[in-house]
Amino acid sequence: MISLPSYLHRNRHAVFGFRVVIPTDLRQYFPLKEYRLSLRTASLCEAKPIALSLCHFVQCHFHRIRKLGGRGMESDNQNFLQSLAAEKQR
């Protein structure tokens, strides 16, 4: 069995997805504690680079929130899933 990073998961149909758990110190800025996004592929070779890119995007977003203290981030955070989907298309 292959060990997957915590941000990469496979559903019951063998399709990979990206999962991010919002850190406890940032949960006040987000409506949900966890976000999931289908990567729409059953191939680990295709899913890994997409998930890694999304992970980098998420970590940069979290860093920016911490740096700004959450100011001006409300609209970005409310549409976090849409931002992830847009980043996935890049």
Side-chain angles (χ1 to χ4, degrees), residues 39-82:
L39 299 180
R40 298 178 188 248
T41 182
S43 168
L44 182 60
C45 293
E46 290 178 21
K48 270 187 172 180
I50 298 169
L52 191 59
S53 172
L54 292 174
C55 187
H56 178 70
F57 172 78
V58 166
Q59 294 306 319
C60 288
H61 189 70
F62 290 165
H63 177 72
R64 192 169 63 223
I65 294 170
R66 287 183 177 113
K67 187 176 178 181
L68 297 174
R71 285 170 286 162
M73 301 301 294
E74 292 80 14
S75 61
D76 285 350
N77 296 340
Q78 293 295 324
N79 299 318
F80 187 65
L81 198 55
Q82 292 173 342

Side-chain angles (χ1 to χ4, degrees), residues 6-9 17-21 34-37:
S6 62
Y7 55 82
L8 192 61
H9 68 93
F18 177 77
R19 175 181 175 259
V20 60
V21 176
E34 176 181 306
Y35 292 85
R36 292 177 181 253
L37 180 68

